[in-house]
Amino acid sequence: MDVMKALDRFDGVARIETLRRLGVSEQRLRRAREAGWIVSVRRGWVARADADRMLVTAARRGACLPV
């Protein structure tokens, strides 16, 4: 599965384990990171480079935002 499409399912921020379960390969994650499309948020988490800053900050701090 495409990394960006997979991240779109989670508003641009997701655990790597979740993306892997959707079929995103380690190679695709690495390429997206090298291209600057995604950034590491914290250990085991990535976000789209253009993801909502509030969601990225929440993920960095290990917080959950109400839906």
Side-chain angles (χ1 to χ4, degrees), residues 3 20 24-34:
V3 177
R20 296 296 307 258
V24 176
S25 69
E26 188 61 39
Q27 183 179 14
R28 286 182 185 252
L29 285 168
R30 187 175 51 254
R31 285 184 181 167
R33 203 176 281 127
E34 289 170 355

Side-chain angles (χ1 to χ4, degrees), residues 5-21:
K5 287 181 183 179
L7 278 168
D8 285 344
R9 292 182 171 196
F10 305 99
D11 295 323
V13 182
R15 290 178 53 120
I16 291 172
E17 180 181 320
T18 302
L19 298 177
R20 296 296 307 258
R21 276 191 256 133

